[in-house]
Amino acid sequence: MKPAPFDYVRPGSLEEALQALAGHPEAKVLAGGQSLVPLLSMRLAAPAVLVDINELPDLDHVRVGAEGVRVGALARHAQVLADPDVARVQPLVTKALANVAHATIRNRGTTVGSLVHADAAAEMPMVLRLLDGSVDVVGPSGRRTIPVDELYVGPLESSLHHDEIAVEAFFPALAAGSGVAFEEIARRHGDYAMCGVAAVVAVDGDRVTSAKAGYLSVSDIPVVVDLTEALGGVVDNPSLAAAAEVALAELDPETDIHATADYRAHLVRVLTARVVSAAYDDARARAEGAA
């Protein structure tokens, strides 16, 4: 299929981009286009105006500091994935990005674009929510920061205003004494996952002090579940099984063309136990390495 007709604008500055969006509630912003272009081709999106921001300056950065990782709106998945400082400061970002689609898509797709596309089957929205990150946007009233808890409001729906542009995402650094893990199950590598789980576990010696898990492709929006109480300070078969049931009680697996609700529930149980255990091992290893 072909897209419906639309006007195309390629501004050279952020101010010009905002002017192009003004007065057009149905306009769309094009960055990497790996999600938007298929929607246009299938006429699931039919904007009157397409605002291509690829000529905007100073938005392709990846900045890493002690506080975390800042990713500009035009930084490609592959650029973030290849940055060794990102892997050092917040390894969950790197682990998740390695599972995003295929290399060709990662070479063009943008991490910030994926975040604001708000697809609950995508890896990065879930990671941002699990890490309690944020997205900075610019609009007619200036720049504002949207905490991730306020970002996702429904299926494929974020809280950005129609006349705002997301310019940067922030992923907080991994705290001392913590570890991470990520795993997803798809029919074929690179396909959308039938279920994916990430975990952040903090330890004090061999005791778990905090454990949270994030889930993709299970609910309409990215979901994070606190499993600390369910684990009871330990990671063993009974505590992992209990944590999986707590997670499942917070989720609402649905049936679609990829998997049944029952199979997704099974994957939640299996992956929760597996990923929380791996994050616990990672936390222990990092703590021992820092000693």
Side-chain angles (χ1 to χ4, degrees), residues 17-287:
L18 293 173
Q19 290 173 6
L21 289 176
H24 297 285
E26 72 283 9
K28 292 290 185 181
V29 174
L30 174 68
Q34 300 307 291
S35 297
L36 178 58
V37 170
L39 294 179
L40 295 175
S41 297
M42 292 184 286
R43 299 204 176 190
L44 296 175
V49 180
L50 192 64
V51 181
D52 184 343
I53 65 170
N54 279 279
E55 288 296 314
L56 302 191
D58 304 321
L59 290 181
D60 61 350
H61 59 273
V62 179
R63 299 178 181 137
V64 183
E67 77 287 353
V69 177
R70 297 188 179 275
V71 178
L74 294 178
R76 312 296 166 174
H77 292 310
Q79 177 186 352
V80 185
L81 177 61
D83 193 314
D85 289 331
V86 174
R88 174 179 55 83
V89 169
Q90 185 40 265
L92 186 57
V93 170
T94 303
K95 290 177 182 291
L97 281 172
N99 287 273
V100 172
H102 302 279
T104 302
I105 291 174
R106 293 195 295 269
N107 285 341
R108 186 63 189 170
T110 63
T111 300
V112 173
S114 177
L115 293 174
V116 298
H117 183 58
D119 190 343
E123 291 82 1
M124 300 317 294
M126 179 269 282
V127 168
L128 188 76
R129 187 154 196 185
L130 178 59
L131 297 177
D132 199 23
S134 61
V135 170
D136 277 18
V137 302
V138 175
S141 300
R143 184 164 178 148
R144 69 186 180 105
T145 298
I146 306 177
V148 70
D149 285 347
E150 301 174 10
L151 182 61
Y152 300 116
V153 297
L156 296 175
E157 185 179 4
S158 77
S159 59
L160 267 75
H161 301 155
H162 72 87
D163 53 0
E164 291 181 318
I165 296 174
V167 294
E168 186 179 74
F170 173 64
F171 299 90
L174 183 65
S178 297
V180 297
F182 180 97
E183 187 172 348
E184 64 180 36
I185 300 294
R187 292 184 180 275
R188 297 173 301 179
H189 177 69
D191 285 0
Y192 278 112
M194 293 178 284
C195 177
V197 181
V200 179
V201 174
V203 298
D204 182 3
D206 61 356
R207 300 288 296 178
V208 175
T209 59
S210 174
K212 294 183 178 180
Y215 296 84
L216 64 92
S217 284
V218 179
S219 300
D220 288 338
I221 62 173
V223 176
V224 172
V225 182
D226 192 328
L227 304 176
T228 309
E229 185 175 347
L231 289 174
V234 299
V235 172
D236 56 20
N237 289 337
S239 68
L240 291 171
E245 294 305 319
V246 167
L248 195 56
E250 296 290 327
L251 301 167
D252 186 22
E254 297 181 351
T255 296
D256 59 20
I257 61 173
H258 302 293
T260 66
D262 287 344
Y263 186 55
R264 279 200 167 92
H266 169 70
L267 292 178
V268 166
R269 291 186 176 98
V270 172
L271 292 183
T272 298
R274 188 182 296 172
V275 173
V276 169
S277 180
Y280 171 76
D281 291 342
D282 185 52
R284 293 283 309 279
R286 291 177 184 276

